[in-house]
Each structure stands twice: as C-alpha cells, then as structure tokens.
Amino acid sequence: SADELHDLLRKVGDLTIVELDARSEGDPTPWLAELVRERRAIAIRIAGEERFIAAQDAARYRDALGCALPVGLPAAFTDPVPHPLEELVARYARTHGPFLADAVSRRFGVPVERLVGALRALEASERVVRGEFRPEGHEREWCDAEVLRQLRRRSLSALRKEVEPVEPSAYARFLVGWHGVGAADSARGGGHRLDRLVEALGL
C-alpha cells in the first residue's frame, strides 16, 4: 500500500524505483505516484540518479547533499536541520550490516573525507563502531552499534545450537555404540555384550 511504501522510505531513506520494486510486494509505481501527488514523497537526484524520499526528509537531503527540492513543500519539511549528513549516514548504518566508508561515499555522492568526518562524529557519540567484522575484509569497517549487537547475538545463538545437549535417549545410544556394548568384538573372536560392558565399566 502507499502507507507501507511511505514507511519504507522513512525507515530506509532514498531509494531508486528499481530498489523500491525489489523491496515491495507487487508493482510500487501506483503507490509511489499517489505519494508524490500528495506530496508525501518527492523525487530528487543523488549521485547522478533519480531517487525517492519521504517528504519529511527533504531538508536533510538538501542540507547534507545539496539536492534541489520541488516547490510546494510544507515549511516544516524545508526548515534547516542540525547535522543532516550525520543523520543520513546513521540511518544508512541502521539498515545495513558492516560497511566501508567508500560505499556510503558513492551512495551519497560526497567526498569520502567528508563522509568519514560524519562517521567519526557518530563514533564519538557511540552510535557506530569501527573494526574488522567480516573474515574476508581487508580493511576496517563501520557498523551501527545496535546492528553489531544483533549480529553477535545471532552468531552466539547459532554456535550454541551446534553444541546444545542431545536428548538423554540419544546420548545413551551413543554411549552404547561408543563402548561397543551390543555388538560382537571381532578382535576377540566374538566377545559377548557382557564382556564389553564389564570392560567399559572398568570392572
């Protein structure tokens, strides 16, 4: 629906029509046209391509990236906002896993030096962290602090499942097989189960 598409733009930020289509169930074009007609969403150009944003974010993109805004927006959506680039980068971090500064620099079409400045400001306020998060990484990455906590919780949960105890009945069957109780001992010419049991118990 149009409301769901609007919520998506508010949560994720700027998206191309292709990205909207990939994240939507069904064709988003009619809903997007409705949002644009009602001035709930607007089209702007970022890094040389057309993207759509929620109208509430208009001032952030204008002040952070220099985007031209369409006329007719409510004054509340065009009033200057503090730290606009930091807010855009923070939202990107909240909706992605570990990332490189270069990736966000290309996404927003801003110099990487300016982008790193915003990331360091977010790091100082403990909203993002920097480190080596992926095994295949070749340089230090950035990650939203809460996203990193979620990734760690999921990793620990997966590891716990690998070592969680089995049912007592399954463990009993394993012990029987491990000690050879219940099977003939060919090395002794066909020893009986009682012999193997006595040996396992050390009697």
Side-chain angles (χ1 to χ4, degrees), residues 15-158:
L15 293 170
T16 66
I17 188 64
V18 174
E19 292 168 337
L20 281 168
D21 184 62
R23 292 171 176 264
S24 304
E25 295 182 3
D27 182 8
T29 306
W31 303 328
L32 185 60
E34 178 182 338
L35 292 175
V36 172
R37 184 172 60 251
E38 295 175 352
R39 281 291 193 265
R40 297 171 63 194
I42 60 174
I44 58 176
R45 293 196 70 79
I46 303 174
E49 63 182 1
E50 183 180 62
R51 300 184 199 164
F52 295 88
I53 64 171
Q56 292 94 326
D57 287 328
R60 289 186 178 86
Y61 283 88
R62 178 200 62 201
D63 297 346
L65 310 179
C67 300
L69 302 180
V71 298
L73 291 176
F77 295 167
T78 59
D79 289 340
V81 296
H83 313 296
L85 183 58
E86 290 176 26
E87 292 305 312
L88 294 184
V89 174
R91 178 163 54 188
Y92 180 95
R94 287 195 304 271
T95 55
H96 291 76
F99 59 89
L100 297 175
D102 285 346
V104 192
S105 173
R106 291 192 300 271
R107 176 73 188 180
F108 290 140
V110 298
V112 68
E113 294 81 10
R114 185 172 172 229
L115 197 284
V116 169
L119 284 168
R120 286 176 176 165
L122 293 170
E123 182 183 30
S125 60
E126 299 182 348
R127 297 171 67 182
V128 302
V129 293
R130 191 181 185 195
E132 297 177 0
F133 304 118
R134 292 181 289 192
E136 70 277 12
H138 300 293
E139 58 182 290
R140 300 184 74 187
E141 302 163 303
W142 299 88
C143 188
D144 177 84
E146 180 57 31
V147 168
L148 183 59
R149 281 191 286 268
Q150 292 177 7
L151 291 174
R152 285 174 173 169
R153 283 195 294 267
R154 291 173 184 173
S155 296
L156 287 174
S157 177

